[in-house]
Structures are given as C-alpha cells and as structure tokens.
C-alpha cells in the first residue's frame, strides 16, 4: 500500500471521528442535564473511531463501554448511539460479527435499563436495535464487496500474467519451428555447396590447374555462411531464463501474492541446464499458487547444500551434491482431492527427470500445496 493512500485513510478516519464527535456533542449540548463528564465520555468514544482500522475490536470495546456509561449516567436520546454504531459497523466490516453483536447487545441493555418509561424506552430500543442490525449488515456487505474487488483485481492480474506467459510460450515455439526449418533446408543446401566447392578446389590443385578465384570465394563464403547459420540456430533454440528465482518472487509480490524467499547453503553458479530447470520450477510453482491457492501465503526455499557436509532446508538432511527447491503454500488444496497433472506439472516432472532428480508435487496434509524438487548439482560452472 502506498504512503499516499495510507495518509488518505488516516485523514478519513480522523474526519469520521470528528464528525461523529461533533454530532454527539451537539446532541448532548441540547440536553440540560448533560455534565462535563458526559461530554468527556462522548468525546472519548468518538475519538476512538480514528483507530478502527488498526484495532477494530479494541475500538468497539472502548466505544461500547464509554457509550454505555454515558447513557447510564445521562439518559440521552437514540443519537447517543452514534459512536457505538460506527464501531459496530467497522468491526463487522473486517469480519468480527460476534464481537459486533455483543457490543450492540451490551449498549442496548444499558440503554433499556435506564430508559424513562416502558413505552418510550421500548420504542427507542426497537429503533436502536434496527440501527445496530443495519450497521452489522452494511459492515458485512462492505466486507464482501471489498473481497469481490480484490478477487476481481487478482483475476485481472492473473489473466495479464497468463497472457504474457502464453505469448512467451508461443514465441518460443515459433523460434523452435524457424530453427527446424532453417536447419532442414538452408543447412543442408549450404553444406552441399561447401562440399562441392571443396571437391572442385581439391581436384584442380591435384591436376596442377590454377584454382579459379570465384571457386575459392564460393568455398570461403559457404563456410562463413555455415558458421553464421549455426550461431543463428543456437540463438533461436536457446531457452534461457529471463531472470532469477529472486526476480520471480519480486514479480509475484508485485502482482499481490504474499511470497517469502529463503536461500540457504553454498550459493554458487550452476550449470546452464540446472539453472534453467530451477528457474522454470519456481516459475511454474508460483504461477500455480497464484491461480489456484487463493489468498494464500507462499514460501519459496532454495538450498544449494554445502561443499563439505551438506544441509537440507529446514530438516538439514540434504546431501551436499543436491540442489533442493521447495515451494509451499497454505491455500485451498485438499489432500483428499489431488489435482489432475496439467502441462505445467508434467513439464516440471520431465525437466527434473531429465537431470536425474526427483520431484514431489501434491497437496499438503495440513492444507495447501507443496512442490519439492531435488536436483543433483554435479560440476558447477
């Protein structure tokens, strides 16, 4: 959350407390029996609303105690409930429905116990009960609306990320297709030209004839063309990662996913294939967490082991010759309903198997999903 937004919210909270306090003090001023203590109770109960975002339950407790003390002491009208109504609404808004209901009941009980006359107090208590019910309902409605907005924003971010990944995947597939076409057509043709030019030069020199300059130029140009073509094919076939696991974590955080990264062991450069596999495993695991885990917390752990004794992540049982990657979330995955492996999980298994490692990707017993890969380190580069 940006600092400017935090400042706006704080200003809005102060304004809310000031408006409620001004209304409460104005109503109390028209009551001839109001004392300085009553004004103080109203002011403190209203001022507590300025902190409702940081401590909604504490604010509700303070507003309820002070508001109840005010009605017990001064016997005011229904508008005396404004600070408690605001606290009830804000508590319900963050999901504390039970606490909001208890606060409403305590205030209503104090109001009814000190009411002047059965008929009058019953009417006013009924009115206040309706107000408190509305405060709870509107708080819950606001909470649901905010949750809907967050989900909508998350889906939009996920759709954008998915489009980017699909575009990158299509671009990679197109590069490979072009590489195959170039290899199958141009490489063969240039090889034939180079071979024939070499044979012609050899025969001319064997017969003692002068080699035509054009033939030598063809031989040299075809060799240079082969070297350039091989370089172009290597670029087209390259599947290098576009960053590091740390960069993937930062991108996920920027997209709204709560991710923690822990790197342990003897961090060092890895062979190209191993580095690429580690990047893709973290990338796919974070993508799946963003898609399926919901508002979950994700923990990414990468352990390089040690050169001598070896350490695993957490349980310290990993050998020195293994790179261990673990991505765990506490999302909605259920062990009783394991997911059907899709393209992403299948691709991770294939990458790990090709490098002689092991991969476990399944729901956790305590809830959420876990991806745990062990890859032999081999020789570093």
């Amino acid at each position: 959350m940006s600092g400017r937004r935090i400042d706006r919210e704080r200003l809005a909270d102060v304004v809310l407390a000031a408006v409620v306090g001004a209304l409460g003090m104005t109503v109390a001023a028209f009551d001839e029996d109001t004392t300085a203590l009553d004004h103080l109770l109203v002011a403190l109960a209203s001022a507590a609303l300025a902190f409702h975002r940081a401590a909604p339950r504490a604010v509700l407790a303070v507003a309820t105690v002070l508001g109840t003390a005010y009605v017990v002491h001064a016997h005011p009208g229904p508008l005396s409930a404004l600070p408690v109504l605001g606290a009830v609404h804000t508590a319900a808004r963050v999901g504390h429905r039970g606490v909001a209901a208890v606060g409403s009941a305590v205030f209503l009980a104090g109001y009814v116990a000190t009411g002047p006359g059965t008929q009058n107090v019953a009417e006013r208590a009924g009115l206040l009960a309706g107000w408190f019910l509305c405060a709870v309902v509107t708080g819950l409605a606001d909470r649901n609306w905010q949750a809907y907005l967050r989900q909508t924003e998350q889906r939009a971010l996920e759709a954008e990320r998915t489009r980017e990944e699909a575009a990158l995947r299509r671009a990679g597939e197109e590069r490979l297709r072009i590489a195959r076409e170039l290899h199958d057509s141009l490489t063969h043709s240039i090889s034939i030209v180079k071979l024939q030019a070499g044979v012609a030069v050899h025969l001319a020199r064997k017969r003692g004839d002068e080699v035509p300059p054009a033939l030598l130029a063809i031989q040299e140009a075809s060799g240079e063309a082969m070297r350039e073509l091989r370089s172009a094919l290597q670029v087209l076939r390259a599947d290098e990662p576009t960053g590091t696991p740390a960069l993937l974590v930062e991108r996920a955080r920027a997209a709204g996913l709560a991710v923690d990264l822990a790197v342990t062991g003897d961090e060092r450069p890895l062979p190209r294939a191993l580095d690429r596999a580690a990047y893709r495993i973290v990338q796919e695991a974070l993508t799946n967490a963003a898609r399926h885990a919901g508002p979950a917390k994700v923990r990414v752990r990468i352990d390089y082991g040690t050169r001598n004794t070896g350490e695993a992540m957490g349980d310290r049982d990993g050998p020195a010759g293994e790179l261990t990657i673990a991505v765990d979330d506490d999302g909605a995955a259920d062990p009783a309903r394991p997911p059907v492996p899709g393209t992403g999980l299948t691709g991770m298994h294939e990458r790990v198997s090709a490098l002689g490692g092991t991969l476990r990707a399944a729901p956790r017993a305590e809830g959420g999903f876990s991806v745990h890969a062990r890859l032999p380190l081999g020789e570093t580069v």
Side-chain angles (χ1 to χ4, degrees):
M1 185 182 296
S2 63
R4 184 175 299 177
R5 181 178 176 183
I6 293 176
D7 292 339
R8 286 200 303 266
E9 290 181 348
R10 288 175 179 171
L11 178 60
D13 296 341
V14 172
V15 171
L16 171 65
V19 170
V20 172
L23 290 174
M25 297 290 284
T26 301
V27 172
F30 285 99
D31 191 345
E32 297 178 356
D33 298 329
T34 303
T35 64
L37 175 61
D38 298 324
H39 284 292
L40 180 61
L41 292 174
V42 173
L44 292 177
S46 302
L49 294 177
F51 305 97
H52 71 87
R53 294 184 194 272
R57 288 183 291 187
V59 169
L60 176 60
V62 171
T64 301
V65 170
L66 296 177
T68 304
Y70 171 50
V71 297
V72 169
H73 184 263
H75 313 294
L79 288 178
S80 61
L82 283 177
V84 186
L85 279 170
V88 166
H89 171 81
T90 55
R93 184 173 179 269
V94 294
H96 303 308
R97 293 173 291 182
V99 178
V102 170
S104 303
V106 170
F107 182 84
L108 286 173
Y111 189 87
V112 170
T114 60
T118 305
Q119 182 65 27
N120 190 22
V121 73
E123 292 176 355
R124 291 187 175 184
L127 176 63
L128 284 178
W131 288 2
F132 279 109
L133 179 61
C134 288
V136 173
V137 171
T138 54
L140 293 175
D142 190 19
R143 179 171 182 262
N144 293 335
W145 174 250
Q146 294 298 328
Y148 170 75
L149 291 180
R150 286 193 297 271
Q151 291 176 359
T152 302
E153 182 180 0
Q154 183 178 2
R155 285 197 295 268
L157 292 173
E158 176 60 26
E160 182 179 356
R161 183 165 55 249
T162 302
R163 284 196 298 270
E164 292 176 356
E165 292 174 357
L168 290 174
R169 189 161 49 248
R170 286 195 297 270
E173 293 172 353
E174 183 64 16
R175 287 199 307 271
L176 292 177
R177 188 190 67 81
I178 294 173
R180 286 194 300 268
E181 292 295 330
L182 289 175
H183 180 271
D184 294 343
S185 57
L186 291 182
T187 303
H188 175 72
S189 300
I190 295 176
S191 298
I192 295 299
V193 171
K194 184 175 183 298
L195 177 63
Q196 291 179 341
V199 171
V201 169
H202 174 72
L203 292 177
R205 288 173 176 169
K206 186 177 181 179
R207 291 194 300 266
D209 299 337
E210 182 180 357
V211 180
L215 191 59
L216 292 174
I218 292 173
Q219 185 184 35
E220 182 178 355
S222 59
E224 181 65 23
M226 283 294 296
R227 288 189 292 272
E228 293 292 338
L229 183 58
R230 287 195 184 98
S231 299
L233 291 176
Q234 289 178 355
V235 173
L236 288 173
R237 286 171 172 164
D239 185 23
E240 297 298 328
T242 57
T244 63
L247 181 59
L248 289 174
V249 170
E250 290 300 323
R251 290 175 182 171
R253 287 173 181 164
L257 192 64
V259 188
D260 289 329
L261 173 64
V263 179
T264 57
D266 233 350
E267 186 173 0
R268 52 199 183 274
L270 299 175
R272 180 185 302 175
L274 186 60
D275 187 49
R276 183 164 60 244
Y279 179 89
R280 296 306 184 195
I281 290 170
V282 175
Q283 182 183 46
E284 183 63 29
L286 289 177
T287 299
N288 288 339
R291 288 179 180 174
H292 308 298
K297 293 183 179 179
V298 183
R299 183 170 60 171
V300 179
R301 296 174 296 159
I302 302 176
D303 182 77
Y304 288 81
T306 59
R307 296 184 187 276
N308 297 320
T309 59
E311 292 180 353
M313 298 177 305
D315 53 4
R316 298 181 181 272
D317 61 356
E322 281 189 344
L323 173 71
T324 309
I325 302 170
V327 183
D328 302 319
D329 66 69
D330 57 359
D334 186 355
R337 296 193 301 271
V340 177
T343 305
L345 291 179
T346 302
M348 280 197 292
H349 278 286
E350 291 174 351
R351 286 182 182 274
V352 173
S353 298
L355 294 173
T358 60
L359 177 73
R360 182 180 60 84
R364 302 192 304 166
E366 61 271 29
F369 199 82
S370 174
V371 174
H372 197 277
R374 291 183 180 273
L375 299 167
L377 281 171
E379 296 295 328
T380 57
V381 294

